Amino acid sequence: MNYRKLGRTGLEVSEIGMGLEHLLPKDQDTITETIRAAIQGGVNYLDCLSGKDFAENSDINEEYVKLGKALEGLRDKVYITYLANANRSDADNFIDGIKIGFECFLCELNTDYSDIFMIAFCDKPIEFDRVTGNDGLLAYARKLQNENKIKFIGLSTHSSDIAHKAIESGDFDVLMYPVNPAFDVIADEEKYISLDLGKLWDAAYDYNADNAKGIKPIRKNVYTECLKNNIGLVVMKPFGGGFLLRPDINTGFTPANLISYALNQTGVSTVIPGCENKEQIEDILRYYSLKDDDLDFSKAVSNSRWNIKGCCQYCNHCLPCAADINIAQVNRAIDNKTAYEYNVLDVKASSCVKCGECETRCPFGVKIMDKMDLAVKMFENS
Protein backbone atom coordinates (compact mmCIF):
# COMPACT_ATOMS: atom_id res chain seq x y z
CA MET A 1 0.00 0.00 0.00
CA ASN A 2 1.11 3.53 -0.76
CA TYR A 3 0.12 6.51 1.37
CA ARG A 4 -0.55 10.17 0.62
CA LYS A 5 -1.09 13.32 2.66
CA LEU A 6 -4.76 14.22 3.12
CA GLY A 7 -4.28 17.91 2.39
CA ARG A 8 -3.67 20.21 5.34
CA THR A 9 -4.88 17.59 7.82
CA GLY A 10 -1.42 16.06 7.65
CA LEU A 11 -2.94 12.59 7.91
CA GLU A 12 -1.13 9.89 5.93
CA VAL A 13 -3.98 7.99 4.29
CA SER A 14 -3.89 4.87 2.17
CA GLU A 15 -4.23 5.52 -1.57
CA ILE A 16 -7.06 3.00 -1.55
CA GLY A 17 -9.58 3.41 1.22
CA MET A 18 -12.94 1.72 1.57
CA GLY A 19 -16.55 2.85 1.48
CA LEU A 20 -18.74 0.92 3.91
CA GLU A 21 -22.23 1.83 2.71
CA HIS A 22 -22.86 -1.53 1.02
CA LEU A 23 -20.95 -3.54 3.63
CA LEU A 24 -22.66 -2.39 6.84
CA PRO A 25 -26.05 -4.02 6.10
CA LYS A 26 -24.28 -7.43 5.94
CA ASP A 27 -23.94 -9.92 8.80
CA GLN A 28 -21.36 -9.44 11.54
CA ASP A 29 -18.92 -12.07 10.27
CA THR A 30 -18.87 -10.59 6.76
CA ILE A 31 -18.30 -7.07 8.08
CA THR A 32 -15.56 -8.14 10.48
CA GLU A 33 -13.60 -10.28 8.02
CA THR A 34 -13.88 -7.65 5.26
CA ILE A 35 -12.66 -4.76 7.41
CA ARG A 36 -9.85 -6.81 8.90
CA ALA A 37 -8.74 -7.97 5.45
CA ALA A 38 -8.69 -4.32 4.35
CA ILE A 39 -6.62 -3.22 7.34
CA GLN A 40 -4.25 -6.14 6.86
CA GLY A 41 -3.84 -4.96 3.26
CA GLY A 42 -2.85 -1.49 4.44
CA VAL A 43 -6.20 0.32 4.16
CA ASN A 44 -6.50 2.97 6.88
CA TYR A 45 -9.28 5.26 5.59
CA LEU A 46 -12.87 4.14 6.20
CA ASP A 47 -15.88 6.07 4.92
CA CYS A 48 -18.48 5.01 7.48
CA LEU A 49 -21.74 5.84 5.70
CA SER A 50 -24.75 4.10 7.18
CA GLY A 51 -27.97 4.23 5.18
CA LYS A 52 -29.87 3.49 8.36
CA ASP A 53 -28.59 6.65 10.03
CA PHE A 54 -29.74 8.69 7.05
CA ALA A 55 -33.24 7.23 7.17
CA GLU A 56 -34.14 7.84 10.81
CA ASN A 57 -33.17 9.52 14.05
CA SER A 58 -32.22 6.85 16.54
CA ASP A 59 -29.85 6.43 19.43
CA ILE A 60 -29.37 2.82 18.34
CA ASN A 61 -27.95 1.94 14.94
CA GLU A 62 -27.34 -1.75 14.41
CA GLU A 63 -24.93 -1.03 11.55
CA TYR A 64 -22.69 1.06 13.81
CA VAL A 65 -22.91 -1.68 16.44
CA LYS A 66 -21.55 -4.19 13.94
CA LEU A 67 -18.87 -1.77 12.77
CA GLY A 68 -17.80 -1.18 16.37
CA LYS A 69 -17.37 -4.90 16.93
CA ALA A 70 -15.36 -5.25 13.72
CA LEU A 71 -13.01 -2.46 14.84
CA GLU A 72 -12.41 -3.76 18.36
CA GLY A 73 -8.71 -3.35 19.10
CA LEU A 74 -8.12 -1.67 15.73
CA ARG A 75 -9.38 1.88 16.21
CA ASP A 76 -5.85 3.32 16.33
CA LYS A 77 -5.05 1.75 12.94
CA VAL A 78 -7.72 3.58 10.95
CA TYR A 79 -9.10 7.03 10.23
CA ILE A 80 -12.88 7.03 10.37
CA THR A 81 -15.28 9.46 8.73
CA TYR A 82 -18.75 10.24 10.05
CA LEU A 83 -21.18 11.48 7.39
CA ALA A 84 -23.86 14.01 8.32
CA ASN A 85 -26.70 14.41 5.82
CA ALA A 86 -26.99 18.00 4.57
CA ASN A 87 -30.28 17.45 2.73
CA ARG A 88 -32.36 16.04 5.57
CA SER A 89 -36.05 16.84 5.38
CA ASP A 90 -36.52 17.58 9.11
CA ALA A 91 -35.72 21.28 8.87
CA ASP A 92 -37.30 22.14 12.22
CA ASN A 93 -34.94 19.97 14.26
CA PHE A 94 -32.12 19.56 11.75
CA ILE A 95 -29.14 19.79 14.11
CA ASP A 96 -30.88 17.75 16.80
CA GLY A 97 -31.26 14.89 14.35
CA ILE A 98 -27.59 15.08 13.32
CA LYS A 99 -26.51 15.20 16.96
CA ILE A 100 -28.42 12.00 17.78
CA GLY A 101 -26.76 10.17 14.92
CA PHE A 102 -23.26 11.39 15.72
CA GLU A 103 -23.44 10.58 19.44
CA CYS A 104 -24.75 7.14 18.50
CA PHE A 105 -21.78 6.72 16.14
CA LEU A 106 -19.22 7.54 18.83
CA CYS A 107 -20.90 5.37 21.43
CA GLU A 108 -21.29 2.28 19.30
CA LEU A 109 -17.78 2.51 17.86
CA ASN A 110 -16.48 2.95 21.43
CA THR A 111 -14.44 5.98 20.45
CA ASP A 112 -14.12 9.56 21.69
CA TYR A 113 -13.83 11.16 18.27
CA SER A 114 -14.20 10.91 14.52
CA ASP A 115 -11.17 11.83 12.46
CA ILE A 116 -13.33 13.58 9.88
CA PHE A 117 -16.85 14.97 10.17
CA MET A 118 -18.10 14.90 6.57
CA ILE A 119 -21.07 17.09 5.68
CA ALA A 120 -22.56 14.89 2.97
CA PHE A 121 -25.10 15.07 0.11
CA CYS A 122 -24.65 18.84 -0.26
CA ASP A 123 -25.51 19.23 -3.94
CA LYS A 124 -27.60 22.40 -4.23
CA PRO A 125 -26.90 26.07 -3.43
CA ILE A 126 -29.79 26.15 -0.96
CA GLU A 127 -28.22 23.22 0.90
CA PHE A 128 -24.79 24.85 0.98
CA ASP A 129 -26.29 28.09 2.31
CA ARG A 130 -28.11 26.11 4.97
CA VAL A 131 -24.91 24.31 5.97
CA THR A 132 -22.77 27.46 6.22
CA GLY A 133 -25.38 29.84 7.65
CA ASN A 134 -25.76 30.89 11.26
CA ASP A 135 -26.41 27.87 13.50
CA GLY A 136 -25.96 25.59 10.48
CA LEU A 137 -24.23 22.24 10.25
CA LEU A 138 -20.81 23.85 9.81
CA ALA A 139 -21.24 25.74 13.09
CA TYR A 140 -22.17 22.48 14.81
CA ALA A 141 -19.09 20.79 13.33
CA ARG A 142 -16.87 23.58 14.67
CA LYS A 143 -18.41 23.12 18.09
CA LEU A 144 -17.55 19.41 17.95
CA GLN A 145 -14.03 20.31 16.87
CA ASN A 146 -13.62 22.62 19.87
CA GLU A 147 -14.79 19.76 22.09
CA ASN A 148 -12.19 17.41 20.49
CA LYS A 149 -14.96 15.12 19.23
CA ILE A 150 -13.81 15.54 15.65
CA LYS A 151 -10.41 16.32 14.16
CA PHE A 152 -11.26 17.78 10.76
CA ILE A 153 -14.27 18.97 8.75
CA GLY A 154 -15.09 17.85 5.22
CA LEU A 155 -17.82 18.33 2.63
CA SER A 156 -19.14 15.80 0.12
CA THR A 157 -20.81 16.92 -3.11
CA HIS A 158 -21.46 15.77 -6.67
CA SER A 159 -21.62 19.36 -7.95
CA SER A 160 -18.59 21.32 -9.21
CA ASP A 161 -20.35 24.57 -8.33
CA ILE A 162 -20.74 23.50 -4.70
CA ALA A 163 -17.21 22.06 -4.68
CA HIS A 164 -15.77 25.43 -5.71
CA LYS A 165 -17.90 27.23 -3.10
CA ALA A 166 -16.52 24.89 -0.43
CA ILE A 167 -12.93 25.37 -1.57
CA GLU A 168 -13.24 29.16 -1.77
CA SER A 169 -14.85 29.37 1.67
CA GLY A 170 -11.72 28.02 3.37
CA ASP A 171 -13.97 26.26 5.88
CA PHE A 172 -13.30 22.67 4.86
CA ASP A 173 -10.20 20.52 5.27
CA VAL A 174 -11.41 17.68 3.04
CA LEU A 175 -13.56 17.44 -0.09
CA MET A 176 -15.21 14.19 -1.17
CA TYR A 177 -16.10 14.29 -4.85
CA PRO A 178 -16.81 11.87 -7.74
CA VAL A 179 -13.83 11.22 -9.98
CA ASN A 180 -14.16 9.00 -13.01
CA PRO A 181 -13.58 9.44 -16.75
CA ALA A 182 -17.29 9.43 -17.63
CA PHE A 183 -17.93 12.63 -15.69
CA ASP A 184 -14.61 14.41 -15.92
CA VAL A 185 -14.64 15.97 -19.36
CA ILE A 186 -17.47 18.40 -20.03
CA ALA A 187 -17.91 19.58 -23.61
CA ASP A 188 -20.08 22.61 -22.92
CA GLU A 189 -19.74 24.38 -19.58
CA GLU A 190 -22.99 26.27 -20.23
CA LYS A 191 -24.90 23.00 -19.97
CA TYR A 192 -23.96 22.78 -16.33
CA ILE A 193 -26.95 23.43 -14.08
CA SER A 194 -26.21 22.77 -10.42
CA LEU A 195 -29.83 21.95 -9.61
CA ASP A 196 -29.90 19.20 -12.24
CA LEU A 197 -26.91 16.88 -11.89
CA GLY A 198 -28.23 14.67 -14.67
CA LYS A 199 -27.68 17.46 -17.21
CA LEU A 200 -24.12 17.90 -16.02
CA TRP A 201 -23.28 14.25 -16.47
CA ASP A 202 -25.17 14.00 -19.76
CA ALA A 203 -22.63 16.50 -21.04
CA ALA A 204 -19.77 14.00 -20.75
CA TYR A 205 -18.56 13.31 -24.27
CA ASP A 206 -16.29 11.08 -26.31
CA TYR A 207 -12.96 12.27 -24.96
CA ASN A 208 -10.39 13.31 -27.51
CA ALA A 209 -7.37 15.39 -26.59
CA ASP A 210 -7.54 17.44 -29.83
CA ASN A 211 -11.27 18.16 -29.50
CA ALA A 212 -10.82 19.08 -25.85
CA LYS A 213 -8.38 21.92 -26.54
CA GLY A 214 -9.79 25.25 -25.50
CA ILE A 215 -12.54 23.67 -23.40
CA LYS A 216 -12.50 24.52 -19.73
CA PRO A 217 -12.97 21.22 -17.85
CA ILE A 218 -14.82 22.54 -14.82
CA ARG A 219 -14.79 19.28 -12.90
CA LYS A 220 -11.06 18.79 -13.29
CA ASN A 221 -10.52 22.35 -12.09
CA VAL A 222 -11.89 21.18 -8.75
CA TYR A 223 -8.89 18.87 -8.38
CA THR A 224 -6.42 21.63 -9.18
CA GLU A 225 -8.05 24.02 -6.71
CA CYS A 226 -7.93 21.37 -3.98
CA LEU A 227 -4.20 21.02 -4.54
CA LYS A 228 -3.67 24.80 -4.56
CA ASN A 229 -5.63 25.21 -1.34
CA ASN A 230 -4.14 22.14 0.37
CA ILE A 231 -7.54 20.47 0.72
CA GLY A 232 -7.58 16.68 0.93
CA LEU A 233 -9.41 15.22 -2.09
CA VAL A 234 -11.24 11.96 -1.43
CA VAL A 235 -12.57 10.16 -4.50
CA MET A 236 -16.05 8.68 -4.36
CA LYS A 237 -17.78 6.82 -7.21
CA PRO A 238 -14.55 5.81 -9.01
CA PHE A 239 -16.64 3.21 -10.88
CA GLY A 240 -19.49 5.62 -11.64
CA GLY A 241 -21.78 3.78 -9.23
CA GLY A 242 -21.00 0.55 -11.11
CA PHE A 243 -22.11 2.05 -14.44
CA LEU A 244 -18.64 1.92 -15.97
CA LEU A 245 -18.30 -1.79 -15.25
CA ARG A 246 -21.58 -2.92 -16.78
CA PRO A 247 -20.89 -5.72 -19.29
CA ASP A 248 -23.75 -4.67 -21.58
CA ILE A 249 -22.07 -1.37 -22.49
CA ASN A 250 -18.54 -2.87 -22.71
CA THR A 251 -16.63 0.25 -21.78
CA GLY A 252 -13.24 -1.42 -21.52
CA PHE A 253 -12.88 -0.21 -17.97
CA THR A 254 -11.90 -2.41 -15.04
CA PRO A 255 -11.76 -1.68 -11.30
CA ALA A 256 -7.97 -1.49 -11.59
CA ASN A 257 -7.73 0.99 -14.45
CA LEU A 258 -10.49 3.15 -12.95
CA ILE A 259 -8.62 3.33 -9.64
CA SER A 260 -5.47 4.11 -11.62
CA TYR A 261 -7.33 6.88 -13.45
CA ALA A 262 -8.48 8.45 -10.18
CA LEU A 263 -5.07 8.22 -8.54
CA ASN A 264 -3.51 9.90 -11.56
CA GLN A 265 -5.68 13.01 -11.22
CA THR A 266 -4.24 16.17 -9.69
CA GLY A 267 -4.58 16.50 -5.93
CA VAL A 268 -6.18 13.13 -5.17
CA SER A 269 -5.36 11.72 -1.73
CA THR A 270 -7.38 8.51 -1.59
CA VAL A 271 -9.94 6.54 -3.59
CA ILE A 272 -12.77 4.84 -1.70
CA PRO A 273 -14.47 2.10 -3.72
CA GLY A 274 -17.40 0.40 -2.03
CA CYS A 275 -16.98 -3.24 -1.02
CA GLU A 276 -19.49 -5.85 0.11
CA ASN A 277 -17.22 -8.70 1.19
CA LYS A 278 -13.67 -9.84 1.85
CA GLU A 279 -13.19 -11.14 -1.68
CA GLN A 280 -13.99 -7.77 -3.22
CA ILE A 281 -11.53 -5.80 -1.12
CA GLU A 282 -8.82 -8.43 -1.64
CA ASP A 283 -9.44 -8.25 -5.39
CA ILE A 284 -9.15 -4.45 -5.35
CA LEU A 285 -5.94 -4.57 -3.30
CA ARG A 286 -4.35 -6.74 -6.00
CA TYR A 287 -3.99 -3.39 -7.75
CA TYR A 288 -0.43 -3.15 -6.46
CA SER A 289 0.63 -6.44 -8.02
CA LEU A 290 -0.71 -5.70 -11.51
CA LYS A 291 1.37 -4.82 -14.55
CA ASP A 292 1.31 -1.36 -16.14
CA ASP A 293 -0.83 -2.64 -19.03
CA ASP A 294 -3.53 -3.67 -16.57
CA LEU A 295 -3.56 -0.17 -15.06
CA ASP A 296 -3.60 1.66 -18.39
CA PHE A 297 -6.93 3.46 -18.83
CA SER A 298 -6.01 5.45 -21.96
CA LYS A 299 -7.67 3.17 -24.52
CA ALA A 300 -10.89 2.90 -22.56
CA VAL A 301 -11.01 6.67 -22.09
CA SER A 302 -10.41 7.33 -25.80
CA ASN A 303 -13.31 5.02 -26.73
CA SER A 304 -15.78 6.14 -24.09
CA ARG A 305 -19.14 7.81 -24.63
CA TRP A 306 -21.94 7.94 -22.07
CA ASN A 307 -25.39 9.31 -21.49
CA ILE A 308 -26.36 8.30 -17.96
CA LYS A 309 -29.51 10.35 -17.45
CA GLY A 310 -32.15 7.94 -16.26
CA CYS A 311 -29.58 5.38 -15.07
CA CYS A 312 -29.45 4.53 -11.37
CA GLN A 313 -26.03 5.13 -9.83
CA TYR A 314 -26.98 3.30 -6.57
CA CYS A 315 -26.23 6.45 -4.55
CA ASN A 316 -29.25 6.19 -2.19
CA HIS A 317 -30.23 9.84 -2.62
CA CYS A 318 -33.76 8.49 -3.17
CA LEU A 319 -34.06 7.24 0.43
CA PRO A 320 -35.80 7.03 2.81
CA CYS A 321 -38.51 4.98 1.10
CA ALA A 322 -41.99 5.05 2.65
CA ALA A 323 -42.25 1.30 2.07
CA ASP A 324 -38.67 0.54 3.22
CA ILE A 325 -37.67 -0.71 -0.24
CA ASN A 326 -33.92 -0.84 -0.87
CA ILE A 327 -34.31 0.98 -4.18
CA ALA A 328 -30.64 0.83 -5.18
CA GLN A 329 -30.49 -2.93 -4.66
CA VAL A 330 -33.67 -3.44 -6.68
CA ASN A 331 -32.18 -1.39 -9.51
CA ARG A 332 -28.89 -3.25 -9.23
CA ALA A 333 -30.74 -6.55 -9.61
CA ILE A 334 -32.55 -5.20 -12.68
CA ASP A 335 -29.34 -3.92 -14.27
CA ASN A 336 -27.50 -7.18 -13.56
CA LYS A 337 -30.55 -9.30 -14.46
CA THR A 338 -29.92 -11.39 -11.36
CA ALA A 339 -32.96 -12.83 -9.62
CA TYR A 340 -30.94 -14.02 -6.63
CA GLU A 341 -29.96 -10.44 -5.77
CA TYR A 342 -33.62 -9.55 -5.79
CA ASN A 343 -34.95 -12.57 -3.94
CA VAL A 344 -32.83 -11.95 -0.84
CA LEU A 345 -34.36 -8.49 -0.32
CA ASP A 346 -36.62 -8.23 2.71
CA VAL A 347 -39.00 -5.81 0.97
CA LYS A 348 -39.87 -6.38 -2.67
CA ALA A 349 -40.68 -3.80 -5.34
CA SER A 350 -44.37 -4.79 -5.23
CA SER A 351 -44.56 -2.97 -1.89
CA CYS A 352 -44.11 0.40 -3.67
CA VAL A 353 -46.94 2.78 -2.69
CA LYS A 354 -46.32 5.10 -5.68
CA CYS A 355 -45.81 8.19 -3.50
CA GLY A 356 -43.14 9.50 -5.89
CA GLU A 357 -40.98 11.03 -3.14
CA CYS A 358 -37.96 9.03 -4.30
CA GLU A 359 -38.11 10.51 -7.79
CA THR A 360 -38.05 14.07 -6.44
CA ARG A 361 -34.74 13.28 -4.69
CA CYS A 362 -32.98 11.46 -7.54
CA PRO A 363 -30.22 13.61 -9.12
CA PHE A 364 -30.21 11.42 -12.25
CA GLY A 365 -33.88 11.65 -13.16
CA VAL A 366 -34.47 7.92 -12.78
CA LYS A 367 -38.13 6.91 -13.23
CA ILE A 368 -38.05 4.89 -10.05
CA MET A 369 -41.71 3.91 -9.93
CA ASP A 370 -41.41 2.52 -13.47
CA LYS A 371 -38.30 0.61 -12.36
CA MET A 372 -40.25 -0.91 -9.46
CA ASP A 373 -42.93 -2.06 -11.93
CA LEU A 374 -40.21 -3.55 -14.13
CA ALA A 375 -38.74 -5.43 -11.16
CA VAL A 376 -42.15 -6.93 -10.35
CA LYS A 377 -42.51 -8.01 -13.97
CA MET A 378 -38.97 -9.44 -14.13
CA PHE A 379 -38.74 -11.19 -10.78
CA GLU A 380 -42.18 -11.63 -9.25
CA ASN A 381 -44.42 -12.35 -12.23
CA SER A 382 -41.98 -14.52 -14.15
Side-chain angles (χ1 to χ4, degrees):
M1 178 64 69
N2 296 328
Y3 298 85
R4 300 184 180 188
K5 280 272 195 307
L6 186 64
R8 62 189 180 221
T9 71
L11 302 180
E12 293 278 348
V13 297
S14 52
E15 284 186 333
I16 300 176
M18 187 166 66
L20 305 185
E21 178 183 4
H22 302 297
L23 175 64
L24 293 181
K26 305 295 184 182
D27 63 87
Q28 183 67 64
D29 287 346
T30 299
I31 294 171
T32 299
E33 68 180 10
T34 304
I35 287 177
R36 299 197 173 193
I39 293 173
Q40 185 175 3
V43 171
N44 71 357
Y45 187 96
L46 301 181
D47 181 73
C48 304
L49 174 60
S50 167
K52 182 176 175 62
D53 184 46
F54 277 72
E56 64 179 335
N57 295 332
S58 174
D59 56 4
I60 298 177
N61 182 324
E62 61 187 21
E63 294 185 355
Y64 291 154
V65 171
K66 290 185 288 187
L67 176 57
K69 290 179 179 177
L71 287 174
E72 285 180 358
L74 299 171
R75 173 66 182 92
D76 62 342
K77 297 185 180 297
V78 294
Y79 301 118
I80 57 174
T81 299
Y82 176 77
L83 290 94
N85 191 350
N87 67 359
R88 292 172 64 110
S89 58
D90 53 346
D92 292 338
N93 61 342
F94 182 72
I95 299 300
D96 289 342
I98 297 293
K99 181 177 180 180
I100 291 171
F102 181 64
E103 294 298 333
C104 168
F105 177 80
L106 294 183
C107 177
E108 290 168 1
L109 268 66
N110 191 29
T111 185
D112 296 327
Y113 68 97
S114 175
D115 295 282
I116 298 164
F117 185 90
M118 187 74 72
I119 297 171
F121 293 163
C122 186
D123 291 330
K124 300 176 181 178
I126 190 172
E127 292 165 353
F128 186 78
D129 291 344
R130 184 183 182 189
V131 162
T132 56
N134 292 335
D135 300 321
L137 194 44
L138 177 59
Y140 173 64
R142 286 174 173 158
K143 178 176 180 293
L144 293 175
Q145 198 170 37
N146 290 335
E147 296 171 350
N148 294 319
K149 290 185 176 181
I150 66 173
K151 300 293 186 182
F152 304 102
I153 302 172
L155 184 126
S156 171
T157 184
H158 300 77
S159 160
S160 63
D161 180 51
I162 301 301
H164 283 296
K165 284 179 180 291
I167 294 167
E168 291 165 7
S169 74
D171 292 323
F172 301 96
D173 306 301
V174 179
L175 179 73
M176 184 160 70
Y177 189 70
V179 177
N180 66 69
F183 304 160
D184 265 355
V185 187
I186 304 301
D188 183 357
E189 189 172 351
E190 296 303 315
K191 290 182 180 179
Y192 172 65
I193 300 175
S194 63
L195 292 177
D196 188 344
L197 297 178
K199 288 186 179 179
L200 169 65
W201 289 346
D202 279 347
Y205 71 106
D206 190 312
Y207 181 80
N208 179 284
D210 293 327
N211 294 339
K213 289 179 179 177
I215 295 173
K216 183 180 179 182
I218 59 174
R219 298 186 70 83
K220 289 201 173 190
N221 284 351
V222 170
Y223 318 154
T224 303
E225 290 303 309
C226 280
L227 182 64
K228 286 182 181 177
N229 291 274
N230 204 17
I231 294 173
L233 180 56
V234 175
V235 173
M236 64 175 170
K237 290 186 173 59
F239 308 150
F243 179 79
L244 299 179
L245 301 177
R246 281 171 48 180
D248 58 315
I249 59 175
N250 191 27
T251 63
F253 286 112
T254 66
N257 64 29
L258 286 169
I259 290 173
S260 177
Y261 175 89
L263 289 175
N264 275 277
Q265 303 308 305
T266 300
V268 168
S269 297
T270 183
V271 180
I272 51 167
C275 296
E276 297 185 3
N277 53 54
K278 176 184 177 182
E279 289 72 27
Q280 287 183 0
I281 189 61
E282 288 179 337
D283 187 54
I284 286 173
L285 292 178
R286 291 189 183 96
Y287 175 89
Y288 291 101
S289 63
L290 297 176
K291 297 179 179 178
D292 289 345
D293 287 347
D294 296 318
L295 304 180
D296 182 13
F297 48 82
S298 59
K299 183 178 180 180
V301 169
S302 65
N303 292 329
S304 60
R305 188 182 185 92
W306 304 276
N307 184 333
I308 67 163
K309 189 170 179 62
C311 295
C312 178
Q313 299 297 297
Y314 320 123
C315 66
N316 286 330
H317 279 54
C318 54
L319 297 180
C321 169
D324 290 326
I325 298 170
N326 188 327
I327 295 169
Q329 287 299 94
V330 171
N331 285 335
R332 195 187 300 273
I334 293 171
D335 293 343
N336 294 337
K337 298 180 176 62
T338 49
Y340 75 87
E341 284 188 286
Y342 183 81
N343 291 334
V344 299
L345 296 175
D346 293 330
V347 182
K348 302 297 191 288
S350 53
S351 297
C352 177
V353 298
K354 307 294 184 183
C355 68
E357 287 295 316
C358 53
E359 294 189 359
T360 68
R361 302 186 190 106
C362 178
F364 304 102
V366 176
K367 301 298 183 183
I368 295 173
M369 291 184 287
D370 289 348
K371 297 279 278 187
M372 296 303 103
D373 290 339
L374 177 59
V376 172
K377 182 177 179 180
M378 287 179 65
F379 303 122
E380 298 187 44
N381 295 340
S382 58

